[in-house]
Amino acid sequence: MSAIVTSKAPANAARAEPALVPATIIEPFWVRALLIGTALLFMLLFLFVPLVSVFVEALKGGWHVYVQAISDPDAVSALKLTLLTAAISVPLNLVFGVAASWAIAKFRFPGKSVLMTLIDLPFSVSPIIAGLIYVLLFGAQGWFGQWLQDHDIKILFAVPGIVIATIFITFPFVARELIPLMQSQGSEEEEAALVLGASGWRTFWHVTLPNIKWGLLYGVILCNARAMGEFGAVSVVSGHIRGQTNTIPLQVEILYNEYNFSAAFAIASLLAFLALITLALKSFIEWRLQHAIQQSTAEQ
């Protein structure tokens, strides 16, 4: 049994702390300082310094070189393709994530565990392998390759292949954020709405969606961040065609391999800037989600 430390009763009884505090959560100051310092040092070396170095290298040649690099037609095309891919894949994953999490959290049906396993599949499969799967399906020698050629449909080395690969890599994020949230909330409110005569859609829009909105936004932000930064699967299916099938990560790789470091870091800074915006939104959503959970717990 852990030792118990009895704290002194404060003068103001209304603001009194709990009298019994487990000694296991009371650590010496040097232990807390060591743990906090180690965490901060780790973040400084592996997060802050690399991030700052990207912007320093991007601006090393001056603003003229930086603006010239990000306004290059190939860079603009890569940025447009990255945003287009995210604009297509994220809404589709949003629809899938909401439908899958609603089914898993609110209903019982055969194959429920199989569906949950399939949702986690992109986490266990290498993005390179995911890209190769689509090459085997849609490539010239793939299962559907001949049929696609006969009907003049191009998937690989084109925008559709990039979008499909991105959807596969990113589809667990929304569902994995919503499933535990919906399971913790239960289905009592939905059942009450149905008993009162509300339809399924009305129940979803007026009961389910308001309860999961912050978790949903959190999942969408994570999905969008992964969609914009995906490299492995997109690299396999894109073909690296300049000005056509290169996203921002692929364009950075090409410029870096050509020893055009200033342009590579300049374009990388765009992706880093988008990541910082995503991080800020993620932090805000986390705070609102935690606040919503605490409020819901207090009401219960």
Side-chain angles (χ1 to χ4, degrees), residues 72-127:
D72 181 78
D74 290 343
V76 174
S77 175
L79 178 60
K80 289 181 179 179
L81 181 57
T82 301
L83 296 177
L84 175 64
T85 302
I88 297 174
S89 60
V90 172
L92 292 177
N93 282 324
L94 186 151
V95 174
F96 167 79
V98 171
S101 57
W102 197 13
I104 291 173
K106 305 296 183 181
F107 302 98
R108 297 178 181 177
F109 56 91
K112 182 176 180 178
S113 60
V114 176
L115 178 58
M116 295 185 66
T117 302
L118 291 176
I119 289 175
D120 291 335
L121 185 62
F123 289 145
S124 58
V125 175
S126 168

Side-chain angles (χ1 to χ4, degrees), residues 54-55 58-59 66 70 252 263-275:
V54 169
F55 290 97
L59 299 172
Y66 181 83
I70 64 176
V252 171
F265 280 104
I267 298 175
S269 69
L270 295 178
L271 198 59
F273 181 70
L274 293 174

Side-chain angles (χ1 to χ4, degrees), residues 26-282:
I26 300 178
E27 300 291 348
F29 173 78
W30 70 269
V31 174
R32 287 176 287 169
L34 179 62
L35 293 175
I36 295 173
T38 302
L40 292 177
L41 180 62
F42 185 88
M43 293 180 62
L44 178 67
L45 293 178
F46 295 99
L47 180 63
F48 183 74
V49 171
L51 183 62
V52 172
S53 66
V54 169
F55 290 97
V56 170
E57 291 294 330
L59 299 172
K60 193 173 183 179
W63 279 103
H64 175 71
V65 176
Y66 181 83
V67 173
Q68 185 178 9
I70 64 176
S71 60
D72 181 78
D74 290 343
V76 174
S77 175
L79 178 60
K80 289 181 179 179
L81 181 57
T82 301
L83 296 177
L84 175 64
T85 302
I88 297 174
S89 60
V90 172
L92 292 177
N93 282 324
L94 186 151
V95 174
F96 167 79
V98 171
S101 57
W102 197 13
I104 291 173
K106 305 296 183 181
F107 302 98
R108 297 178 181 177
F109 56 91
K112 182 176 180 178
S113 60
V114 176
L115 178 58
M116 295 185 66
T117 302
L118 291 176
I119 289 175
D120 291 335
L121 185 62
F123 289 145
S124 58
V125 175
S126 168
I128 300 294
I129 301 301
L132 289 176
I133 291 173
Y134 290 111
V135 172
L136 294 175
L137 289 176
F138 305 122
Q141 306 301 322
W143 291 3
F144 307 109
Q146 189 60 49
W147 184 87
L148 293 173
Q149 289 182 1
D150 294 340
H151 293 80
D152 195 24
I153 300 175
K154 194 171 184 179
I155 294 181
L156 287 184
F157 313 138
V159 175
I162 295 173
V163 172
I164 292 174
T166 304
I167 290 174
F168 175 82
I169 293 298
T170 58
F171 80 78
F173 288 93
V174 176
R176 266 303 164 193
E177 289 299 323
L178 292 182
I179 289 173
L181 178 60
M182 286 188 173
Q183 288 176 336
S184 65
Q185 291 176 348
S187 58
E188 291 80 5
E189 294 186 17
E190 285 84 355
E191 293 173 356
L194 293 174
V195 169
L196 294 174
S199 62
W201 279 111
R202 190 175 182 85
T203 300
F204 172 77
W205 286 110
H206 295 279
V207 179
T208 304
L209 188 59
N211 289 335
I212 65 171
K213 60 181 179 181
W214 294 113
L216 179 61
L217 288 174
Y218 184 73
V220 167
I221 289 174
L222 293 180
C223 179
N224 181 69
R226 182 60 187 274
M228 292 191 299
E230 174 55 31
F231 177 83
V234 172
S235 178
V236 174
V237 302
S238 69
H240 294 269
I241 304 174
R242 284 180 179 256
Q244 297 183 32
T245 63
N246 280 337
T247 58
I248 291 180
L250 300 184
Q251 184 68 14
V252 171
E253 182 201 28
I254 290 176
L255 293 173
Y256 191 85
N257 289 337
E258 293 177 348
Y259 301 100
N260 191 353
F261 299 127
S262 296
F265 280 104
I267 298 175
S269 69
L270 295 178
L271 198 59
F273 181 70
L274 293 174
L276 291 175
I277 295 177
T278 301
L279 181 63
L281 292 174
K282 174 179 172 291

